[in-house]
């Protein structure tokens, strides 16, 4: 599954800067080339990059409305008002709720949390949630990872005597909700220096601001950073600037002293305690937390993340793991249906976009299925199902195409929509579906070139196996945490071959385990894993040369760390022109 990919070697950057940095830092020129590509050009830049410091976090009061938000929380706590922490059912929402709720319950017993039901209430602030808050005597709602477009809901709450503080990171519209405070670094009138915080990140800035105003030591907030790194990783915000600092210290917390609920998730995911990476969060921990909101209720995820005893965490964790296994089975079935639908021409569209619809599909996995279809056909993709009398869908895009803008151009046909450049959710009436598909296709005409429809692997630089020394890898590890904006470096090594021990691995034999040797270094082999590349097995086994692009990772197995190449793609030498 998946299309052949085009390899593009990045520009090496200014040679003089690379050379100067290499000698100043005493490192391999390949490493200084990686630094220059990441905007690190001086010794001072390099120090800040390699040694992130919490002292370099921005002043939270630089965020528009922060002073109003803090003043309102202070008033609520001083007068024993009931505070409701409200957030979405995905990883960013549930970690954000857990972070702010954990903090506030240290200060007041009058705090609770609310996570809307994906199926009954849908995304964002709901009238049902506000009614529940009103019936239960709450006077202040703090929304997290949602609310930036909830103008009517904020007014509805105000009529019921409830104030709202909105903490969001999605793109606002021109008219902001009339809330007590609207914290969103993407507000056009907000001068906060970093605008790519996660929803949980905005919640953290509120907590940081309240603490600094009320003499609470910053050190007491560090245990919250394990939640924050889970949100940064899972929401795919950029791992640069402030997020890089927060992710660095969040990983440290997650590995050295994780909260009870996250420790349960680490163990249930089969991860090595103390060696959890951003990738582990993205592929193992995040999907499990998400599964609660997909299969049951996001509330369960918050109960896990705020659990204080091992027994409760283990019980809820096991339950969430069960949801995750159910989710995987359903996701597999629906992916199979959707692929067959596209291949047999039974989809709503397959020209510029892939659009499929089946009213009986499980709403909780359509986003995952959309991602699978992008992998298979490499086109912007929307997967629709039916829920609460409406057609509801998840959209995923390809590199270089703003799918959110395409969906926004059909706003008049939609009941609701929200999201980012490459991922969005939307709801519409069934009768509007044909026109929506037609207009999306029309919008894309001329905006999607054939080049854009070829997946690309960006290669940072060429590398010889001889350069992969213990010192090289020790410095390379300090480039972490990896993520958007600071991706794990991808290297290209040409003219390599297997030492004769190549074998197929995995339950269905779809992966390759290799021991690679470079032509120029015939006595040194290096271990490699190539996922979903078994079609190359016979060629490699026969001793034919290949070119590989890969990242260098540390593979932990039974407590022992080994260096391994994680192959992104490989090519037979004769395929190279």
């Amino acid at each position: 599954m998946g299309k052949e990919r085009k390899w593009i070697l990045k520009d090496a950057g200014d040679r003089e800067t690379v050379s100067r940095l290499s000698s100043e830092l005493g490192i391999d020129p390949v490493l200084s080339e990686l630094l220059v590509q990441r905007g690190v050009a001086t010794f001072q830049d390099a120090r800040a990059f390699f040694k992130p410091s919490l002292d370099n976090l921005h002043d939270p009061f630089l965020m528009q409305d922060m002073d109003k938000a803090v003043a309102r929380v202070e008033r609520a706590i001083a007068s024993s008002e009931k505070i409701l922490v409200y957030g979405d059912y995905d990883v960013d929402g549930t970690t954000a709720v857990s972070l702010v709720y954990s903090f506030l319950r240290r200060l007041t017993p009058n705090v609770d949390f609310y996570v809307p039901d994906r199926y009954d209430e849908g995304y964002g602030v709901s009238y049902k949630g506000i009614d529940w808050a009103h019936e239960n005597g709450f006077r202040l709602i703090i929304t997290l990872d949602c609310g930036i477009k909830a103008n009517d809901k904020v007014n509805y709450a105000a009529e019921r005597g409830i104030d709202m503080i909105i903490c969001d990171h999605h793109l606002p519209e021109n008219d902001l909700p009339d809330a007590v405070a609207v914290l969103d670094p993407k507000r056009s009138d907000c001068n906060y220096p970093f605008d790519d915080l996660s929803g949980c990140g905005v919640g953290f800035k509120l907590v940081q601001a309240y603490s600094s105003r009320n003499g609470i030591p910053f050190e007491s907030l560090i245990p919250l950073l394990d939640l924050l790194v889970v949100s940064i990783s899972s929401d795919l915000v950029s791992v640069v600037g402030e997020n890089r600092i927060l992710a660095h210290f969040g990983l440290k917390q997650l590995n050295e002293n994780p909260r009870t609920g996250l420790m349960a998730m680490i163990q249930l995911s089969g991860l090595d305690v103390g060696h959890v990476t951003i990738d582990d969060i993205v592929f193992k921990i995040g999907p499990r937390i998400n599964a609660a909101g997909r299969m049951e209720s996001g509330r369960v995820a918050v109960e896990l993340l705020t659990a204080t005893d091992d027994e409760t965490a283990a019980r809820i964790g096991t339950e969430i793991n069960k949801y995750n296994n159910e989710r995987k089975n359903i996701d597999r079935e629906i992916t199979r249906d959707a692929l067959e639908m596209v291949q047999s021409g039974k989809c709503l569209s397959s020209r510029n976009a892939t659009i499929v619809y089946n009213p009986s599909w499980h709403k909780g996995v359509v986003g995952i299925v959309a991602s699978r279809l992008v992998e298979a056909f490499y086109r912007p993709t929307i997967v629709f199902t039916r829920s609460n009398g409406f057609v509801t869908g998840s959209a995923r895009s390809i590199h270089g195409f703003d799918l959110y803008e395409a969906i926004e151009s059909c706003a008049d046909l939609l009941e609701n929509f929200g999201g980012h450049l490459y991922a969005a959710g939307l709801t519409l009436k069934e009768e509007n579906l044909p026109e929506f598909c037609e207009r999306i296709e029309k919008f894309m005409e001329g905006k999607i070139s054939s080049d854009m429809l070829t997946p690309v692997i960006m290669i940072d630089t060429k590398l010889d196996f001889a350069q992969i020394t213990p010192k090289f890898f020790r410095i390379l590890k300090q480039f972490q945490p990896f993520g958007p904006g600071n991706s794990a470096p991808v290297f290209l090594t040409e003219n390599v071959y297997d030492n004769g021990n190549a074998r197929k691995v995995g339950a269905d034999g779809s992966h390759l385990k290799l021991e690679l040797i470079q032509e120029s270094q015939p006595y040194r082999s290096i271990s490699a894993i190539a996922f979903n590349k078994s079609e190359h097995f016979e060629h490699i086994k026969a001793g034919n040369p290949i070119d590989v692009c890969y990242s260098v990772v540390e593979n932990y197995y039974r407590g022992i760390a080994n260096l391994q190449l994680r192959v992104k793609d490989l090519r037979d030498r004769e395929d190279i022109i």
Side-chain angles (χ1 to χ4, degrees):
M1 200 158 78
K3 293 178 70 167
E4 186 155 327
R5 298 181 284 183
K6 182 164 70 176
W7 297 9
I8 296 178
L9 191 60
K10 289 182 191 170
D11 177 46
D14 179 62
R15 280 276 142 227
E16 206 176 298
T17 310
V18 169
S19 172
R20 177 179 45 74
L21 210 50
S22 173
S23 83
E24 281 179 1
L25 298 170
I27 59 174
D28 189 304
V30 161
L31 293 166
S32 52
E33 195 176 307
L34 295 175
L35 287 171
V36 171
Q37 285 171 343
R38 283 156 180 72
V40 175
T42 66
F43 185 85
Q44 285 71 24
D45 291 346
R47 181 186 289 165
F49 182 82
F50 284 131
K51 295 207 175 340
S53 167
L54 290 165
D55 295 339
N56 292 334
L57 293 179
H58 302 304
D59 176 357
F61 287 100
L62 294 172
M63 201 177 289
Q64 189 71 23
D65 279 6
M66 185 61 84
D67 48 348
K68 294 178 190 170
V70 169
R72 183 63 187 89
V73 175
E74 285 171 340
R75 182 154 64 87
I77 289 172
S79 54
S80 300
E81 287 178 75
K82 289 179 81 175
I83 305 170
L84 187 64
V85 182
Y86 185 115
D88 261 310
Y89 39 71
D90 64 4
V91 182
D92 193 14
T94 53
T95 50
V97 167
S98 302
L99 187 148
V100 174
Y101 173 71
S102 298
F103 175 76
L104 288 176
R105 74 176 176 188
R106 297 179 197 168
L107 308 174
T108 172
N110 304 307
V111 60
D112 203 349
F113 65 88
Y114 188 96
V115 178
D117 183 272
R118 178 188 284 265
Y119 304 101
D120 182 28
E121 295 162 84
Y123 171 84
V125 184
S126 70
Y127 290 113
K128 183 179 174 180
I130 294 167
D131 288 341
W132 186 88
H134 178 57
E135 285 155 21
N136 288 280
F138 288 90
R139 300 292 307 281
L140 175 63
I141 295 177
I142 301 172
T143 76
L144 293 149
D145 189 35
C146 62
I148 198 65
K149 293 182 179 177
N151 301 40
D152 295 347
K153 316 276 178 32
V154 169
N155 297 339
Y156 182 81
E159 287 161 14
R160 280 146 189 78
I162 300 171
D163 286 342
M164 284 176 82
I165 292 170
I166 288 167
C167 303
D168 205 345
H169 69 132
H170 296 97
L171 210 55
E173 289 178 344
N174 292 333
D175 291 333
L176 293 174
D178 190 17
V180 170
V182 177
L183 306 179
D184 188 332
K186 291 192 178 77
R187 278 178 66 163
S188 58
D189 60 346
C190 181
N191 296 320
Y192 192 73
F194 186 74
D195 73 352
D196 202 26
L197 291 168
S198 63
C200 185
V202 178
F204 180 76
K205 297 312 288 190
L206 172 60
V207 161
Q208 186 191 352
Y210 183 93
S211 300
S212 75
R213 180 83 28 112
N214 288 276
I216 297 168
F218 183 84
E219 289 66 41
S220 70
L221 307 183
I222 290 173
L224 300 171
L225 295 180
D226 56 359
L227 290 167
L228 191 41
V229 73
V230 171
S231 122
I232 288 169
S233 309
S234 303
D235 217 52
L236 297 179
V237 289
S238 59
V239 187
V240 299
E242 192 161 39
N243 280 345
R244 179 174 163 79
I245 300 170
L246 294 167
H248 173 87
F249 288 97
L251 274 178
K252 191 170 163 21
Q253 182 69 25
L254 186 65
N255 281 307
E256 291 175 7
N257 192 16
R259 67 192 47 243
T260 313
L262 284 174
M263 177 58 105
M265 282 286 91
I266 290 166
Q267 290 167 333
L268 284 161
S269 305
L271 295 170
D272 277 291
V273 177
H275 299 289
V276 179
T277 64
I278 296 265
D279 267 4
D280 292 330
I281 298 170
V282 172
F283 296 111
K284 300 281 181 70
I285 297 172
R288 282 171 167 79
I289 294 170
N290 247 337
R294 291 182 192 284
M295 309 304 294
E296 181 59 33
S297 160
R299 188 171 177 91
V300 181
V302 178
E303 284 167 358
L304 171 77
L305 296 173
T306 56
T308 50
D309 66 283
D310 295 343
E311 201 181 313
T312 306
R315 178 178 52 77
I316 302 172
T318 304
E319 203 179 319
I320 283 179
N321 216 32
K322 190 182 80 196
Y323 298 144
N324 190 50
N325 291 333
E326 274 175 47
R327 188 270 305 161
K328 282 198 277 198
N329 291 334
I330 292 168
D331 149 26
R332 259 195 297 271
E333 279 170 37
I334 296 177
T335 300
R336 204 168 45 238
D337 285 358
L339 286 167
E340 196 274 324
M341 204 179 256
V342 178
Q343 282 153 350
S344 63
K346 292 177 189 160
C347 50
L348 298 177
S349 171
S350 62
R351 283 200 326 275
N352 295 312
T354 304
I355 306 179
V356 290
Y357 171 50
N358 182 326
S360 66
W361 283 341
H362 194 295
K363 184 186 174 189
V365 300
V366 291
I368 296 167
V369 174
S371 297
R372 300 260 193 278
L373 294 183
V374 171
E375 277 170 35
F377 304 111
Y378 207 68
R379 275 170 167 59
T381 298
I382 309 175
V383 177
F384 284 114
T385 184
R386 201 171 166 75
S387 175
N388 291 339
F390 290 100
V391 170
T392 182
S394 250
R396 298 291 182 271
S397 197
I398 58 173
H399 184 72
F401 182 72
D402 186 343
L403 186 55
Y404 184 81
E405 187 192 5
I407 291 167
E408 197 172 32
S409 74
C410 304
D412 55 307
L413 298 173
L414 305 175
E415 301 299 304
N416 202 354
F417 69 98
H420 304 281
L421 192 68
Y422 294 128
L426 60 158
T427 306
L428 68 164
K429 291 177 177 152
E430 191 153 11
E431 61 262 31
N432 288 339
L433 194 53
E435 192 186 338
F436 172 82
C437 295
E438 209 174 293
R439 274 175 47 184
I440 282 283
E441 277 289 1
K442 206 162 186 174
F443 181 91
M444 290 183 182
E445 269 165 31
K447 289 191 174 70
I448 291 201
S449 63
S450 58
D451 259 12
M452 283 166 77
L453 295 175
T454 305
V456 163
I457 292 187
M458 296 303 294
I459 297 166
D460 290 78
T461 183
K462 290 184 179 183
L463 188 68
D464 282 337
F465 285 172
Q467 291 170 279
I468 307 173
T469 62
K471 181 186 176 185
F472 179 92
F473 186 64
R474 197 171 63 246
I475 297 165
L476 189 65
K477 277 207 309 194
Q478 291 175 50
F479 278 71
Q480 297 180 20
F482 297 130
N486 181 39
S487 301
V490 176
F491 303 106
L492 166 63
T493 304
E494 295 169 320
N495 211 14
V496 305
Y497 54 93
D498 183 75
N499 71 357
N501 290 321
R503 63 185 198 274
K504 293 182 184 182
V505 294
D508 55 356
S510 58
H511 314 313
L512 293 180
K513 186 85 175 62
L514 308 170
E515 291 293 330
L516 296 177
I517 293 172
Q518 193 173 6
E519 190 84 315
S520 55
Q521 328 273 314
Y523 305 109
R524 182 195 181 198
S525 69
I526 191 159
S527 178
I529 182 84
F531 294 111
N532 302 309
K533 298 292 177 194
S534 57
E535 72 273 17
H536 296 274
F537 179 70
E538 297 304 333
H539 179 88
I540 292 170
K541 189 74 179 163
N544 292 308
I546 55 172
D547 291 348
V548 285
C549 57
Y550 57 88
S551 49
V552 186
V553 298
E554 211 161 20
N555 184 39
Y556 284 93
Y557 185 66
R558 294 183 177 161
I560 296 166
N562 289 303
L563 212 62
Q564 187 181 59
L565 308 186
R566 188 173 292 162
V567 176
K568 302 273 181 193
D569 206 7
L570 56 87
R571 283 185 183 166
D572 306 343
R573 280 296 288 174
E574 56 263 35
D575 290 350
I576 312 299
I577 297 165

